Amino acid sequence: GESVGLHLPTLSVQEGDNSIINCAYSNSASDYFIWYKQESGKGPQFIIDIRSNMDKRQGQRVTVLLNKTVKHLSLQIAATQPGDSAVYFCAENTDNYGQNFVFGPGTRLSVLP
Amino acid sequence: DTAVSQTPKYLVTQMGNDKSIKCEQNLGHDTMYWYKQDSKKFLKIMFSYNNKELIINETVPNRFSPKSPDKAHLNLHINSLELGDSAVYFCASSQPGGVAFFGQGTRLTVV
């Protein structure tokens, strides 16, 4: 089933610290996952993706970890900066055609000075 | 050089009115989507079109009708607007199985 959030979880971190944002996905058959960042007043922007044949993928300052056993995805942001403040969403591809992405409830990241 | 552009950015209208939101993408993608984001930031897919053909039509009132005149455009028409339709609507596009690129959103307020 789809995950429905009753409220938006918030993570507050000090500037310069590492951030870890977690996501539990719903469909064990999902084979493709994407992390998006949404800044205030803007649409979601792609950060990093991972396919189910991988456990880890690294980008610039970001790392995504996938644990298929417990259907868990995490996004690690190194040396968090004020510009990282946003809402972060994980999205899972739930069909074979790559056309239905189900979004998680989102996590608001606040970077403290 | 906006990749996915939607208009208008803000839309305030009265209950019962009919309104349209337009979306265009210049990325050459085959697939376009409409998503609805509620006040709690929850994003839910409404429709998906591939090469002008409807692929996904989630449980959405039939007052919502997407129209795709060509694969670069996917417009959303809403009839008889209700208070509960107030939300931010996002258009997106992708290649099948690829990353979706989103527009900046249209904030619809029904009064």
Side-chain angles (χ1 to χ4, degrees):
Chain A
E2 294 177 0
S3 52
V4 178
L6 298 178
H7 63 277
L8 193 62
T10 299
L11 174 66
S12 297
V13 298
Q14 291 292 137
E15 183 177 353
D17 286 353
N18 297 334
S19 303
I20 300 177
I21 300 171
N22 296 305
C23 177
Y25 63 92
S26 57
N27 190 335
S28 57
S30 295
D31 61 358
Y32 182 45
F33 305 87
I34 301 176
W35 278 100
Y36 284 92
K37 172 187 181 183
Q38 186 179 21
E39 296 174 283
S40 181
K42 296 184 179 179
Q45 290 179 285
F46 169 83
I47 302 174
I48 192 168
D49 58 359
I50 189 168
R51 297 206 177 266
S52 58
N53 60 352
M54 301 174 72
D55 296 323
K56 180 179 178 179
R57 189 158 190 228
Q58 287 184 290
Q60 188 176 16
R61 282 202 308 121
V62 293
T63 301
V64 55
L65 298 178
L66 174 62
N67 185 330
K68 295 181 287 293
T69 303
V70 295
K71 294 190 288 185
H72 184 268
L73 203 62
S74 68
L75 176 71
Q76 300 177 2
I77 304 174
T80 312
Q81 302 168 0
D84 295 327
S85 293
V87 177
Y88 289 81
F89 294 94
C90 65
E92 61 180 301
N93 170 223
T94 61
D95 68 21
N96 291 327
Y97 305 100
Q99 290 164 340
N100 189 3
F101 280 92
V102 174
F103 280 73
T107 297
R108 184 181 299 281
L109 176 65
S110 292
V111 182
L112 308 172
Chain B
D1 289 3
T2 306
V4 181
S5 60
Q6 53 184 112
T7 55
K9 187 171 170 65
Y10 299 98
L11 184 54
V12 181
T13 187
Q14 290 187 325
M15 278 195 305
N17 284 349
D18 303 338
K19 291 292 179 185
S20 292
I21 308 172
K22 296 187 176 182
C23 179
E24 176 181 7
Q25 54 97 2
N26 62 6
L27 297 166
H29 288 160
D30 291 333
T31 305
M32 295 186 73
Y33 314 81
W34 278 107
Y35 280 83
K36 179 180 180 181
Q37 186 171 47
D38 63 21
S39 59
K40 293 181 173 60
K41 296 290 189 181
F42 188 67
L43 265 167
K44 183 171 167 58
I45 192 167
M46 300 172 69
F47 302 103
S48 167
Y49 266 74
N50 190 58
N51 274 321
K52 301 195 302 175
E53 291 188 18
L54 181 65
I55 302 298
I56 293 171
N57 182 358
E58 290 293 312
T59 307
V60 175
N62 58 14
R63 298 181 293 103
F64 290 80
S65 53
K67 294 281 193 306
S68 184
D70 55 62
K71 76 172 194 177
H73 295 83
L74 181 63
N75 303 322
L76 183 65
H77 188 74
I78 316 169
N79 289 330
S80 304
L81 277 154
E82 301 177 357
L83 291 176
D85 298 331
S86 295
V88 182
Y89 292 84
F90 286 99
C91 177
S93 74
S94 76
Q95 291 295 18
V99 174
F101 290 82
F102 285 78
Q104 83 276 23
T106 295
R107 182 176 292 279
L108 171 66
T109 304
V110 183
V111 297

